[in-house]
Amino acid sequence: MSLVILSFCMLWLLVAVSKTNADEAAGDHCPLARHIMGNIGGVIDYRSRVGKEQKVAMEMAVEDFARSSCSKQLVLQLEDSRGDSARAASSTVELIDSKQVQALIGTMSAQETGPLSKVDKNIKYLPIISLTSPAITPPSIAHQLPHFFQFSDHITFHIRCIAAIVGQFKWRKVTVIYESKNGFSAYSGILTLLSDTLKAVNTDIEHHSTFPSLPSLSNAEAFIEQELVNMRSRSNRVFVVVISSLEMAVLLFEKAKQLGMMEKGYVWIVTDEIASFLDSFDSSVVNNMQGVIGFRTGFVRSSKPFKRFRSRFRSKYRSEYPEEEEYCNPSIFALRAYDATWAIAQAMKNSPGKISSKDLSRAISSSRFRGVSGVIRFKNNVLRQMPSFQIINVVGNSYREIAVWSPDFGFLKSLEKHNGVNSSGSFEEWGPVYWPGGEGGVPRGWVISETDKPLKIGVPAMGAFHEFVKVSLDEASNKTCVTGFSINVFEATLKRLPYYLPYVFVPFNGSYDKMVEQVHDKGLDAAVGDFSIEPGRFQYAEFSQPYIDSRLVMTVPAKSAKSNITWMLKTFTKKLWLLMVAMHMFIGCLVWILERGGNTEFEGIGGMLWFSVTVIFYAHGQPLRNNLSRVMVAPWLFVILIVTASFMADLSSRMTVSRLEPSVLDIDTLLKTNAPVGCNGNSFVVRYLTNVLHFKPENIRKFYSGNDYLEAFETGHIKAAFFVEPHAKVFLGKYCKRFTQAKSTFQLGGFGYVFPKGSPLVFDMSEAILKVIESGEMRQMEEILSFPNCSSDALRDNSSLDLEPFAGLFILSGSVSAFGFLVAILRMGRNLQILSYIQEALTKRRIWRWASIHLSRENSRENSTIPKTKDQVQTSTSVELANFAH
């Protein structure tokens, strides 16, 4: 009997062990029965790659939660939207109303879910986690769906990254492509947001193309091909795919490859939705995307949780989708689907008993844990993660990671090595970029397309100075001819562009400001002429690099300068006169001190003064016996020779050459006397005189021809005229003996060419202008503005000679004199005869007597001895002075 009982126990034990092993093999370590903790619904697209990854990841999360919680189990109920918004909406309603799910996960956007909440009130209060990427949240979503969670990066981060990439390469125009998913148009503010962000880097959206969702197209290939043909006909070559499904992107690049839009000169930028799946593309898709730049959400791929997740994900994905066995690496979308499911499960677990939707939402919003995609936490129902994007470049059979972009730090080599300081580096510094068509320089981003019409270049037909722009009619050919200095520079600039630029000149009868406004209003494509680069015009257009510098110059009638004795003093500046006198007296004193002891010709102050005067004319009769004196006087005589010769030459020139000087010296004189002034009526100078220089409008006379100024001056109609400097050179060149330039000038921006804001031609033309200047061709063309028959003497500079031409001579003489002064001091210390001379001189002035009495009193206090006589006091004082000198 005992043997039977023992056999029965052994059999029961074997059955229990085998059952346990079976449970463990199935991944369940909990032998106890579980109760259903909650129902989670999901709406995803089973046909898309994103939907497949999300389905596998969500099932993994439920299995992992069941394994970690022995007594609780979640029920995951998934519905296939098939990429159709109507089916997604009906599936959502069915899951909530019929299957009583307590939370919902899926690719429903806020735009799709918002209208449903008005039809079914249960949706408004149900916790919904949206996996749509990027997150596009309308401002009213918080009121319509208070329990709606965004489990992805916001669209603003994607747009800022796009702008950063475009700004790095300084492309001025882009074409935007985005897909209207699921029949719903993208958030209406996305283009406005993108446009505003791009303007911060001086870039505009030239064109945008909206693609319907792929399932809604009956012939998707034909539609995409036609759209690409239309975009290819435009001049812009920078294409940004902002929002697109993976399937749409694959077809887009296939057609772009066939149409030759993946060749040299083109630029393609893709976002996270496409770049994150490069690991899952087959070789044919990657081959169609050669040279594409993209960015994808970065996460730690070397962590142990991710490695474990990837291993299990690949195994499960292969088993469910064997046809995609080769390409089964999880993307960021799979990681987020896993973490979103886990967040709901954790919230349900931490809320025992029956939980309301409001309490569940509160538990989800307070969730904080480390998931496989990073640290999970919410703020205002939005995933609170500061994203970082890996910048990738498709090359060969794969891609190359070239940089990381962060909203806080910009472009970095890597986040791990970042020191926390803002970076302004370019990812070009970390390696070459492979562009469509192969390596090479950065694509310009635009071309002159076949359908582009010649640029309409406006030229001023009413310019005051035809030397710059002259519009005339060729009677033989009956064609308009445009010539002049500005036109010559423009044509020379076009020759240095790396492409052909078709254009036609359009004469404009109006002011220069009106022509700039025409460029702004698209009436003209550009404007060429003597346009001053002036701040007020920048609100309408952009300017090229100045091809000639400019100032505002005041021109007045010239008058002959009067001859008077003050010319002699004006020959040298005050500084030079004072230095000459000071050096002269200093050297004279040193010579007198050195010669006085052994040269009877230098006895007394009078000898010193006479020597100082006669040495100027080399008429000094006193012989120099001291060698040191000769050393000091020799360089000084050379200085006197050079300075005297310069003085005589300048003075002779002032007295014999006819000179002109301005009849009005400055603007203050014009303002005080209410004098009338003239200027070009078509230029900005009228506004400048009124607003900046404060001339009264009634005192400003407007002229429209260079010859009108001469008549106005002759009749006294104006007292002064204001020109921009290039115009002033022309006017003074013609009438240099009658008019001259006053001292009052004001710096301006120079002459440049006018282009619409954001025009890519601005940079190219500026670069070409610099090449013309560096080649010397600009100097040759400026010769048309010079007039060799104009005498330069009439306009000679009346300024005085300054110290600068003689600085070397003065330094040499001063150094020798300083050396002589030091030697004289040393000799004076040894020779006490100078003390006797000082005593004699001071005695005559009764100073010595006062000093002797004072010193004797001091000595009497220190020495309580017999008082000394007067002679003893003087002797003692002399000794003390001698000791002091030593």
Side-chain angles (χ1 to χ4, degrees):
M1 185 66 181
S2 60
L3 182 61
V4 174
I5 295 174
L6 181 60
S7 300
F8 179 79
C9 290
M10 291 294 293
L11 180 62
W12 180 84
L13 183 61
L14 288 173
V15 171
V17 170
S18 63
K19 187 178 185 303
T20 302
N21 291 337
D23 291 341
E24 289 180 355
D28 190 350
H29 301 283
C30 301
L32 300 178
R34 302 185 181 94
H35 71 274
I36 303 300
M37 186 179 65
N39 292 334
I40 301 177
V43 179
I44 53 180
D45 182 6
Y46 284 7
R47 299 181 303 175
S48 68
R49 170 72 190 208
V50 176
K52 293 175 182 178
E53 289 194 12
Q54 290 171 340
K55 176 179 179 297
V56 172
M58 292 167 69
E59 291 173 350
M60 286 175 58
V62 172
E63 292 172 3
D64 291 347
F65 181 79
R67 187 177 295 109
S68 65
S69 179
C70 295
S71 60
K72 298 180 180 179
Q73 182 178 353
L74 287 175
V75 175
L76 179 64
Q77 303 187 54
L78 298 177
E79 294 289 339
D80 182 11
S81 66
R82 299 180 183 177
D84 181 70
S85 58
R87 184 174 178 86
S90 62
S91 298
T92 300
V93 173
E94 182 181 355
L95 285 170
I96 296 174
D97 294 341
S98 301
K99 299 185 178 181
Q100 301 294 314
V101 296
Q102 296 169 279
L104 197 64
I105 304 175
T107 55
M108 306 80 61
S109 65
Q111 289 84 355
E112 295 171 319
T113 312
L116 284 179
S117 64
K118 298 178 180 180
V119 177
D120 192 336
K121 297 299 182 181
N122 294 327
I123 296 178
K124 182 175 182 179
Y125 302 104
L126 187 78
I128 300 176
I129 294 183
S130 174
L131 300 176
T132 304
S133 180
I136 305 173
T137 308
S140 60
I141 191 64
H143 175 70
Q144 288 184 349
L145 300 170
H147 307 301
F148 189 88
F149 295 85
Q150 292 280 7
F151 211 86
S152 56
D153 301 322
H154 200 268
I155 186 67
T156 53
F157 294 118
H158 288 226
I159 288 177
R160 288 173 60 187
C161 188
I162 292 172
I165 296 174
V166 172
Q168 282 292 325
F169 297 105
K170 297 181 175 58
W171 293 311
R172 296 292 171 253
K173 301 282 186 180
V174 298
T175 297
V176 175
I177 302 172
Y178 68 91
E179 179 185 1
S180 175
K181 295 183 180 180
N182 297 328
F184 284 82
S185 62
Y187 173 42
S188 60
I190 186 172
L191 280 180
T192 303
L193 179 62
L194 179 59
S195 177
D196 293 342
T197 309
L198 287 173
K199 284 180 179 178
V201 294
N202 298 321
T203 303
D204 292 323
I205 297 176
E206 184 186 64
H207 175 70
H208 71 272
S209 179
T210 305
F211 288 16
S213 62
L214 194 61
S216 67
L217 291 172
S218 58
N219 191 344
E221 292 189 11
F223 175 84
I224 293 174
E225 183 174 346
Q226 184 59 46
E227 286 293 316
L228 289 175
V229 169
N230 294 338
M231 289 186 284
R232 187 181 60 179
S233 66
R234 299 176 179 271
S235 60
N236 185 257
R237 289 293 181 266
V238 181
F239 302 101
V240 181
V241 184
V242 180
I243 297 176
S244 171
S245 64
L246 195 61
E247 293 71 27
M248 175 69 80
V250 170
L251 191 56
L252 175 69
F253 284 106
E254 179 183 341
K255 289 300 178 183
K257 177 79 171 179
Q258 295 173 2
L259 294 173
M261 297 178 69
M262 299 302 296
E263 301 298 328
K264 193 169 185 178
Y266 285 87
V267 177
W268 290 88
I269 301 174
V270 298
T271 58
D272 194 23
E273 291 179 290
I274 303 170
S276 290
F277 289 98
L278 285 173
D279 289 322
S280 304
F281 287 157
D282 58 35
S283 58
S284 62
V285 176
V286 175
N287 183 59
N288 292 334
M289 297 178 64
Q290 293 296 297
V292 171
I293 292 179
F295 61 88
R296 66 181 184 183
T297 303
F299 56 89
V300 182
R301 301 173 186 270
S302 59
S303 65
K304 291 182 179 180
F306 172 75
K307 290 180 178 179
R308 287 195 298 266
F309 174 84
R310 181 178 59 184
S311 176
R312 295 178 53 241
F313 177 89
R314 295 179 65 169
S315 176
K316 186 174 179 61
Y317 193 89
R318 286 194 191 102
S319 64
E320 294 195 20
Y321 307 102
E323 69 279 5
E324 300 182 22
E325 181 179 0
E326 245 181 277
Y327 313 102
C328 53
N329 287 315
S331 67
I332 184 64
F333 305 102
L335 273 60
R336 284 176 172 166
Y338 181 93
D339 287 340
T341 307
W342 192 268
I344 295 177
Q346 286 285 82
M348 289 180 173
K349 179 181 178 181
N350 296 332
S351 303
K354 189 175 181 179
I355 183 173
S356 64
S357 298
K358 185 176 181 181
D359 293 335
L360 182 58
S361 295
R362 188 182 297 110
I364 294 173
S365 62
S366 61
S367 298
R368 182 185 177 95
F369 62 93
R370 180 171 294 277
V372 290
S373 64
V375 177
I376 305 301
R377 55 177 175 170
F378 292 93
K379 182 179 181 181
N380 298 328
N381 289 6
V382 177
L383 187 64
R384 189 180 179 183
Q385 285 183 347
M386 185 58 67
S388 62
F389 297 116
Q390 294 175 334
I391 310 300
I392 59 175
N393 182 208
V394 180
V395 183
N397 295 325
S398 184
Y399 58 89
R400 186 172 66 90
E401 298 177 7
I402 54 179
V404 174
W405 181 85
S406 166
D408 291 332
F409 306 114
F411 289 111
L412 308 167
K413 181 61 177 175
S414 66
L415 285 178
E416 289 77 9
K417 299 179 181 179
H418 183 50
N419 57 8
V421 181
N422 286 345
S423 171
S424 59
S426 166
F427 56 77
E428 289 183 281
E429 301 172 3
W430 303 308
V433 178
Y434 185 92
W435 301 102
E439 290 187 14
V442 177
R444 190 169 64 247
W446 67 281
V447 295
I448 302 298
S449 65
E450 299 175 356
T451 58
D452 282 346
K453 298 179 180 179
L455 296 179
K456 294 186 294 181
I457 307 289
V459 292
M462 302 173 61
F465 291 89
H466 293 166
E467 289 80 4
F468 292 89
V469 179
K470 181 180 180 180
V471 180
S472 58
L473 179 65
D474 187 355
E475 297 180 356
S477 60
N478 196 28
K479 293 182 179 180
T480 302
C481 295
V482 184
T483 57
F485 172 74
S486 298
I487 304 302
N488 294 340
V489 175
F490 177 71
E491 292 175 348
T493 302
L494 292 183
K495 294 178 181 178
R496 284 166 172 79
L497 290 177
Y499 48 85
Y500 172 70
L501 185 68
Y503 67 93
V504 59
F505 285 129
V506 179
F508 184 82
N509 294 303
S511 68
Y512 286 74
D513 287 339
K514 291 292 184 182
M515 202 182 316
V516 173
E517 293 178 10
Q518 277 293 304
V519 174
H520 175 266
D521 296 336
K522 309 299 182 182
L524 295 171
D525 297 318
V528 170
D530 45 347
F531 286 89
S532 292
I533 300 176
E534 190 259 329
R537 293 173 175 171
F538 275 96
Q539 61 179 318
Y540 300 106
E542 292 185 13
F543 289 84
S544 67
Q545 166 80 18
Y547 60 85
I548 190 171
D549 293 331
S550 177
R551 295 177 297 169
L552 185 63
V553 175
M554 186 176 86
T555 303
V556 296
K559 63 179 181 179
S560 298
K562 298 179 180 180
S563 301
N564 52 52
I565 195 63
T566 60
W567 281 6
M568 183 179 296
L569 296 177
K570 290 182 178 179
T571 303
F572 292 159
T573 60
K574 291 181 180 180
K575 183 178 180 180
L576 183 55
W577 277 118
L578 292 175
L579 183 60
M580 286 284 296
V581 173
M583 284 288 295
H584 205 66
M585 297 301 298
F586 177 66
I587 293 175
C589 289
L590 285 180
V591 171
W592 174 71
I593 291 172
L594 293 172
E595 293 289 334
R596 182 179 176 278
N599 193 339
T600 57
E601 298 291 337
F602 285 88
E603 294 294 336
I605 301 297
M608 178 192 70
L609 295 177
W610 180 248
F611 173 80
S612 300
V613 174
T614 56
V615 75
I616 300 176
F617 308 101
Y618 301 94
H620 52 284
Q622 301 99 317
L624 300 178
R625 298 178 181 177
N626 190 296
N627 291 331
L628 186 57
S629 299
R630 295 170 183 172
V631 171
M632 289 192 303
V633 171
W636 181 241
L637 290 175
F638 184 68
V639 172
I640 292 175
L641 174 64
I642 300 300
V643 173
T644 303
S646 301
F647 177 82
M648 296 303 297
D650 190 86
L651 184 60
S652 300
S653 175
R654 290 173 179 269
M655 297 182 66
T656 57
V657 178
S658 175
R659 299 177 304 108
L660 299 176
E661 63 181 20
S663 59
V664 180
L665 295 179
D666 52 32
I667 289 178
D668 291 337
T669 304
L670 297 173
L671 293 173
K672 290 178 182 177
T673 59
N674 282 326
V677 298
C679 67
N680 188 346
N682 285 328
S683 73
F684 77 100
V685 179
V686 179
R687 185 171 63 252
Y688 191 91
L689 293 178
T690 305
N691 299 337
V692 180
L693 301 182
H694 306 295
F695 279 92
K696 296 179 180 178
E698 58 269 20
N699 291 336
I700 300 175
R701 309 288 186 263
K702 302 176 182 178
F703 300 100
Y704 302 94
S705 172
N707 297 327
D708 294 342
Y709 291 95
L710 178 61
E711 182 180 352
F713 274 121
E714 290 176 344
T715 59
H717 193 52
I718 59 173
K719 298 298 181 183
F722 288 88
F723 300 100
V724 289
E725 187 176 29
H727 292 172
K729 287 182 178 179
V730 173
F731 183 79
L732 293 176
K734 291 180 179 179
Y735 311 108
C736 56
K737 295 186 178 181
R738 303 179 61 181
F739 300 94
T740 187
Q741 174 181 325
K743 292 184 179 180
S744 298
T745 59
F746 305 90
Q747 189 65 42
L748 300 176
F751 285 177
Y753 300 134
V754 186
F755 296 95
K757 279 184 169 294
S759 172
L761 277 172
V762 175
F763 178 80
D764 292 348
M765 289 294 289
S766 297
E767 185 179 17
I769 288 173
L770 291 176
K771 291 180 180 178
V772 174
I773 296 174
E774 292 173 356
S775 67
E777 188 175 355
M778 185 72 72
R779 184 184 299 275
Q780 298 175 5
M781 290 186 289
E782 287 181 358
E783 292 180 359
I784 67 170
L785 301 179
S786 62
F787 293 83
N789 295 329
C790 180
S791 173
S792 59
D793 292 333
L795 297 173
R796 77 184 299 274
D797 189 6
N798 293 327
S799 60
S800 304
L801 289 175
D802 202 354
L803 173 63
E804 185 176 359
F806 313 107
L809 295 175
F810 277 100
I811 292 173
L812 175 62
S813 180
S815 301
V816 174
S817 300
F819 175 74
F821 178 73
L822 293 176
V823 174
I825 291 295
L826 293 176
R827 289 184 177 180
M828 286 172 59
R830 295 177 182 177
N831 189 0
L832 294 180
Q833 291 182 358
I834 188 66
L835 295 177
S836 300
Y837 173 77
I838 294 175
Q839 178 181 349
E840 181 182 350
L842 294 177
T843 302
K844 291 180 180 180
R845 291 168 175 77
R846 296 184 180 181
I847 297 175
W848 187 259
R849 180 180 179 82
W850 174 83
S852 299
I853 295 172
H854 178 74
L855 290 174
S856 65
R857 289 177 180 175
E858 292 294 330
N859 289 335
S860 64
R861 292 176 184 175
E862 295 177 0
N863 304 317
S864 303
T865 58
I866 301 173
K868 299 179 182 180
T869 63
K870 180 178 180 181
D871 293 337
Q872 289 175 326
V873 171
Q874 292 179 350
T875 302
S876 176
T877 303
S878 299
V879 173
E880 290 180 4
L881 288 174
N883 292 333
F884 175 76
H886 280 290

